[in-house]
Amino acid sequence: MGVIVVSGTGTEIGKTVVTAALAAAAAAEGRSVAVLKPAQTGLEPGAPGDAAEAARLAGPHVTAVELARYPEPLAPDTAARRAGMAAVTPEEVAEAAGKLAASHDLVLVEGAGGLLVRFDPAGRTLADAAALLGAPVLVVAPAALGTLNATTLTAEALRARGLSALGVVVGSWPAAPDLACRCNLADLPSSSGLPLLGAVPEGSGALAPAEFRAAAPGWLAPALAGTWSAEDFQAAWAPAPVAAAGGAPAA
């Protein structure tokens, strides 16, 4: 697989857990994996960051690398500026990922928030790093109402920049999905033009690492080294047909 850039449609939607699942599934196939977090925000020195958390869940042999850390939970460029620290540039991200790719079968580059969050004062983003790497982007999206617009905008931004998109993974599939979540399973691919490549159950990040590693391939499609089937998942969670006038289900 080489290098995969993992981008969300926003923040707090399960990017790190999806990254961990990708790492665990690849490691289960015997591949060496590295997780690269270009900019970690909202954490003080010494606290475990997203890369370390992904490696903790995915396995002790997964390499975790963090390029920069800023204490305030803000966009990387804003957090760096307020902290009086140097921003991370797309060139630095590409260089670090390239070095890791020389010694690992798979490098996962986990972004901060969405695709177009600013990394540096020039306004460059994770999309610019992906372009320098020539790497495909995996989009992590929420399941709930509002995800169609955000996911489709992300897909359009990728296409406008000539970037390759692998598909979409739902970052936190609810234990009791509402009607919007169920309908979005079918609507996400048709709206965004990207295939649905997985769904990670909510709360998966709280599993013990051994349980997480055993379950991870079942959350991801074969294209991501898993066994998950979009067709089976969509059929299992399809909403009931709309009732026609008189109470009978519509044909």
Side-chain angles (χ1 to χ4, degrees), residues 13-42:
I13 57 173
K15 255 193 336 295
T16 298
V17 177
V18 170
T19 300
L22 292 167
E29 291 191 338
R31 282 178 286 171
S32 57
V33 184
V35 175
L36 173 64
K37 183 75 174 183
Q40 176 70 63
T41 66

Side-chain angles (χ1 to χ4, degrees), residues 145-200:
L145 195 65
T147 194
L148 298 180
N149 179 66
T151 306
T152 302
L153 286 172
T154 300
E156 288 191 3
L158 289 168
R159 285 191 283 268
R161 288 161 175 76
L163 297 174
S164 172
L166 286 174
V168 179
V169 173
V170 175
S172 182
W173 179 254
D178 62 13
L179 179 61
C181 291
R182 290 168 178 259
C183 289
N184 286 341
L185 282 178
D187 292 343
L188 272 169
S190 60
S191 177
S192 68
L194 302 178
L196 194 60
L197 295 181
V200 177

Side-chain angles (χ1 to χ4, degrees), residues 66-88:
E66 181 181 290
L67 296 186
R69 175 173 294 209
Y70 310 112
E72 295 180 313
L74 303 167
D77 174 49
T78 306
R81 185 173 65 251
R82 285 179 53 84
M85 299 170 67
V88 176

